[in-house]
Amino acid sequence: MSGTSQREDPGVAARDEQFAADTERYRRELLAHCYRMVGSVHEAEDLVQESYIRAWRGYARFEGRSSVRTWLYAIATNVCLDALADHRRRVLPAGLGGPYRGPDAPADPDAGVGISWLEPLPDALITSSATDPESQVIDRESLRLALVASLQHLPPQQRAILMLREVLAFTAAETAEILGTTRAAVKTGLQRARTRLAGLDTTADDLIEPDDPRARTLLAGYIAAFEHSDPGLLEQVLRADATLQATPFLDWYAGRGACIHQLATYVLGSPGDWRMLPARANGQPAVVTYLRDASGVLVPYGAAVLTVTATGITSVVAFHDPAVVAAFGFPQSPP
């Protein structure tokens, strides 16, 4: 076989370059879309990859009757719906029942075995390069952890309709074309999704942004409480109505007193047991956590996402999974 015959077809190479130029700019927002649909960053990354493979295969047949962005969202949405056909709903502990009211006891991690848990989405994976501050706020609002958790209670088709219409601002006609249905079905699905979400706890009205000095102060206080094993600092930063959830544990706690008691009794340990580094996830303040093991070495433990208001932290959702640390781009050993 001659060297010439092994060269890449220049037409194919040019098409690949054009495909990348037309589509790569949308990869991060498609990741956010797939994450809202499935509630898992790892699954979302796989679904985006599958979407790009399907798009590449069909690129030669793309006739430009819609924008590239609309075309990609149509592919990605249907990839997600295919994946959700036999998918178990991802949840947080509060989505499974009321707060823990039983006798004092440490949480049992084995109780949550077999449950598909919601995962946090590190902001760094979907940070937009857009210069419009308003669009960036809208992006963050649509990724709030409480909202994404509530979306998982919707049937997949309703979830897709709500995201396409109210987050991505597609028209009813565009949404119907993407989903292969009618505008009447889109209207009905949107009404049902809104009604369902209205009965669920999504997010507080008085949230403050992670850059707000008050949010930074509350985050610093939360970190200090763990690193110094000081329940008194938790008293200062948690609001009276605060809640505490931690996957893979089924039990969750409502009220500042219950949260602090659980943390002080079973979690805080001794000063120096924890190391926490500030991060951001789901458009909210977060921490990546390391815990000292039996040999005295700080090892990856997980992350926690905080819901922060002007009057204190109202929610802590912890994810006890060492793999989460790497997903946030943090090292195996804290600096």
Side-chain angles (χ1 to χ4, degrees):
M1 183 179 292
S2 68
T4 302
S5 64
Q6 292 197 34
R7 292 175 186 166
E8 185 175 7
D9 183 338
V12 173
R15 189 190 72 177
D16 289 349
E17 289 178 8
Q18 188 61 49
F19 174 77
D22 287 344
T23 64
E24 277 303 311
R25 73 189 76 173
Y26 303 111
R27 187 177 288 271
R28 290 193 175 195
E29 62 177 277
L30 287 171
L31 176 62
H33 178 57
C34 292
Y35 170 75
R36 295 185 197 101
M37 288 292 294
V38 302
S40 162
V41 66
H42 298 97
E43 287 187 33
E45 289 174 330
D46 290 342
L47 293 172
V48 169
Q49 186 64 22
E50 173 63 23
S51 299
Y52 270 81
I53 291 172
R54 292 191 190 183
W56 178 82
R57 289 173 177 166
Y59 184 62
R61 300 187 301 275
F62 175 60
E63 299 176 348
R65 288 181 295 178
S66 64
S67 68
V68 170
R69 181 174 182 267
T70 299
W71 177 62
L72 287 173
Y73 268 102
I75 294 172
T77 300
N78 284 287
V79 166
C80 289
L81 290 174
D82 289 346
L84 289 168
D86 56 356
H87 188 283
R88 287 187 298 177
R89 176 168 59 95
R90 287 188 174 271
V91 296
L92 291 174
L96 299 173
Y100 186 66
R101 303 293 187 189
D104 184 41
D108 178 9
D110 293 332
V113 171
I115 294 174
S116 294
W117 296 109
L118 190 72
E119 297 175 359
L121 177 65
D123 279 16
L125 295 180
I126 47 86
T127 300
S128 172
S129 59
T131 57
D132 180 5
E134 183 177 355
S135 69
Q136 293 183 20
V137 169
I138 292 172
D139 286 345
R140 288 197 298 270
E141 288 291 339
S142 69
L143 291 165
R144 298 291 191 194
L145 198 60
L147 175 59
V148 176
S150 296
L151 290 175
Q152 309 312 303
H153 290 265
L154 300 176
Q157 187 87 348
Q158 288 182 24
R159 202 180 309 172
I161 290 171
L162 186 74
M163 292 298 95
L164 292 169
R165 293 286 285 119
E166 299 207 333
V167 173
L168 299 167
F170 285 109
T171 67
E174 289 171 329
T175 301
E177 183 175 355
I178 287 172
L179 298 176
T181 187
T182 64
R183 278 182 284 183
V186 168
K187 181 179 179 180
T188 300
L190 183 59
Q191 290 175 336
R192 289 176 176 173
R194 286 171 173 168
T195 300
R196 176 63 173 152
L197 281 187
L200 298 171
D201 180 23
T202 55
T203 189
D205 295 329
D206 56 348
L207 295 182
I208 53 179
E209 293 298 319
D211 283 332
D212 190 299
R214 295 168 295 179
R216 293 179 177 178
T217 297
L218 290 167
L219 179 62
Y222 181 84
I223 291 173
F226 275 80
E227 295 191 341
H228 297 288
S229 186
D230 188 345
L233 292 176
L234 289 174
E235 183 80 27
Q236 297 176 28
V237 299
L238 294 181
R239 218 165 70 170
D241 60 350
T243 61
L244 171 67
Q245 305 178 66
T247 64
F249 307 109
L250 292 180
D251 296 335
W252 63 282
Y253 305 88
R256 181 168 54 203
C259 296
I260 292 177
H261 174 75
Q262 182 68 17
L263 291 172
T265 305
Y266 301 108
V267 181
L268 290 184
S270 302
D273 282 352
W274 292 95
R275 179 74 185 277
M276 294 189 169
L277 302 177
R280 293 186 186 181
N282 298 85
Q284 301 170 236
V287 291
V288 168
T289 60
Y290 298 83
L291 179 63
R292 198 172 300 280
D293 66 12
S295 64
V297 176
L298 285 166
V299 298
Y301 189 74
V305 179
L306 312 181
T307 301
V308 180
T309 72
T311 54
I313 298 170
T314 62
S315 169
V316 177
V317 182
F319 301 88
H320 294 175
D321 180 0
V324 171
V325 174
F328 273 80
F330 283 74
Q332 287 295 105
S333 299

